[in-house]
Amino acid sequence: MAGFRALAREVRNPRNTIALRRTSLRKCLERFAPYGHRATWHHLCDLAGMDPADRAPDPARLVVALTELEEARAVWLAYEAGFADRRKREKHDGIRQPAGVDAWHRHTWGGCDIVPCVSPTAYPAARLSDVLRRVIAAMEAEPGDACPVCSQDRLEWRPDLDRCPAQGPVCADCGIVVPAPVLTPGALAAARRRLLEDRYAAV
């Protein structure tokens, strides 16, 4: 099975057919898709000016989309390297159990669904690399009351997510599932209250 870098070379190879280059880009998302496969694809297409359903896009647009993905992957690989180094030091110091904030990292192994989006067509407006930097910075800071990506505080608790975690706070502005460890207990409680208020309002 080809790795991410081998697939990226296929995307850039001008001797390949457009269909193969597009397929190789889609396969890159099987290795690294921060928003989940479909939402990441829609983000890349939006950024590069491609129709997600176009089977023969402009090759230059494919390269623009790939570059966006590679930049974000570089940010993520640097974070994972730092995470691994920190865990080695902690284990050396006798800290065998990861901290609560690290539970998020266990669900993002391999670089997929790092910052999942509930809808494939609702995702942050910022570049992928910037989104990852903001989430990583939030993980390394004290919990806050707002979305770490767009800074909006309209968070809604969703009990029906079709991914891990199966439930959690969703930003009503940028559409991401906000990692619970970056939020204060008050922000999480407010998100749950909104769920109850919406349920009672519908009765």
Side-chain angles (χ1 to χ4, degrees):
M1 181 181 292
F4 183 95
R5 286 181 294 180
L7 289 166
R9 287 194 295 271
E10 293 300 306
V11 177
R12 286 197 167 90
N13 189 343
R15 294 187 298 273
N16 288 338
T17 64
I18 296 300
L20 176 57
R21 294 173 73 174
R22 180 185 183 276
T23 298
S24 297
L25 180 59
R26 291 298 299 259
K27 286 185 177 179
C28 283
L29 300 184
E30 296 173 8
R31 280 73 176 169
F32 182 72
Y35 296 156
H37 191 284
R38 293 177 64 208
T40 304
W41 176 248
H42 278 265
H43 165 81
L44 294 177
C45 289
D46 189 19
L47 175 103
M50 298 188 298
D51 184 327
D54 187 355
R55 299 288 177 177
D58 181 344
R61 296 183 188 278
L62 289 174
V63 174
V64 169
L66 175 63
T67 301
E68 166 82 351
L69 195 63
E70 287 175 324
E71 289 175 358
R73 185 170 178 265
V75 171
W76 183 246
L77 290 178
Y79 166 76
E80 288 210 315
F83 177 88
D85 288 344
R86 176 169 61 81
R87 284 299 297 139
K88 284 179 184 177
R89 292 194 303 271
E90 289 175 347
K91 288 178 181 178
H92 181 267
D93 294 338
I95 304 172
R96 308 300 298 178
Q97 189 68 27
V101 76
D102 293 332
W104 169 73
H105 184 266
R106 290 196 297 271
H107 297 307
T108 61
W109 186 255
C112 292
D113 285 326
I114 299 169
V115 190
C117 295
V118 173
S119 168
T121 57
Y123 40 80
R127 296 184 69 88
L128 272 173
S129 55
D130 290 336
V131 169
L132 292 183
R133 287 188 188 97
R134 292 172 192 173
V135 172
I136 290 168
M139 283 291 176
E140 296 171 347
E142 293 296 316
D145 294 320
C147 172
V149 172
C150 67
S151 301
Q152 298 299 314
D153 60 3
R154 178 70 179 173
L155 306 174
E156 301 172 350
W157 190 266
R158 289 285 298 272
D160 56 349
L161 301 177
D162 60 351
R163 53 179 43 86
C164 188
Q167 58 181 343
V170 172
C171 178
D173 185 65
C174 70
I176 69 162
V177 180
V178 181
V182 308
L183 297 172
T184 63
L188 292 171
R192 290 188 176 96
R193 279 198 304 274
R194 288 191 185 97
L195 170 65
L196 295 175
E197 290 168 358
D198 291 343
R199 282 182 175 173
Y200 285 123
V203 174

